[in-house]
Amino acid sequence: IRRQRQMCIRDSSNFGNLYEVINQANLMINKVEGMSMNESTKKYYLGEVYGIRAFLYFQLLRSYGDVVIWTDFSEGSSLDLGNLARPASSAADVMKLIVDDLQASETAFGDNYGFRNDSQRYFWSKAATMMLKGEVYMWRGKHMGGGNEDYTTAKNALQEVRLSLIHISEPTRHS
């Protein structure tokens, strides 16, 4: 019997704040995908946000196991305060979302290992996505039965970062 827990995205525990950032990531994914802008800039933003969302869900998975998957965004004016609780998704489903988000991030970045050259406080890049991919697949290999196949995927992701180090030091400009 799968353990069912009800969680609220506005929970005051440690994971509540992560869901606020996840909500912002979901909003950005929704808005950026529908915007008309320079295609390389759009892809860079999507690479960042999918990578960040994968990171957040990976932190939740490692800390709590089964957690709520929330891929829609809510705006304050449309928030139904009476319907915030959702059943937790299985750890396997959370891992699938993480892997899917890593793939979406990797695809969006393409071969762009550069950092944006602006005054952002936070940065995410293809290198960050690939480092996270390495960590996720090592963890999955050990804790979720992925074994050698996952370890090989992790090794390949980390080797790709190592081989691209020359590109990481060159900032890129997106308008």
Side-chain angles (χ1 to χ4, degrees), residues 11-137:
D11 193 302
S12 61
S13 68
N14 292 335
F15 65 78
N17 291 336
L18 292 177
Y19 280 102
E20 289 179 17
V21 180
I22 288 169
N23 186 60
Q24 292 300 309
N26 294 338
L27 176 64
M28 185 170 172
I29 290 167
N30 181 275
K31 297 300 183 187
V32 169
E33 286 179 345
M35 292 178 77
S36 61
M37 62 169 51
N38 174 298
E39 195 62 28
S40 70
T41 300
K42 181 187 280 193
K43 285 181 178 182
Y44 196 91
Y45 286 147
L46 289 172
E48 284 182 314
V49 72
Y50 277 113
I52 290 169
R53 188 171 75 177
F55 172 78
L56 294 168
Y57 272 109
F58 188 50
Q59 299 311 308
L60 287 167
L61 175 65
R62 289 191 307 178
S63 298
Y64 301 102
D66 298 351
V67 295
V68 173
I69 292 177
W70 195 281
T71 56
D72 298 325
F73 69 93
S74 59
E75 299 178 59
S77 61
S78 65
L79 188 61
D80 179 3
L81 295 176
N83 190 25
L84 293 178
R86 292 185 176 189
S89 297
S90 70
D93 288 344
V94 177
M95 179 55 77
K96 181 182 178 333
L97 176 66
I98 293 165
V99 168
D100 289 349
D101 278 358
L102 286 170
Q103 184 59 52
S105 177
E106 190 177 348
T107 299
F109 278 124
D111 62 357
N112 181 357
Y113 269 91
F115 289 96
R116 287 193 347 221
N117 186 14
D118 58 20
S119 61
Q120 297 290 324
R121 263 180 73 188
Y122 306 101
F123 293 97
W124 195 269
S125 66
K126 170 94 181 250
T129 292
M130 299 309 287
M131 296 292 289
L132 179 60
K133 182 177 181 178
E135 185 176 358
V136 164
Y137 277 87

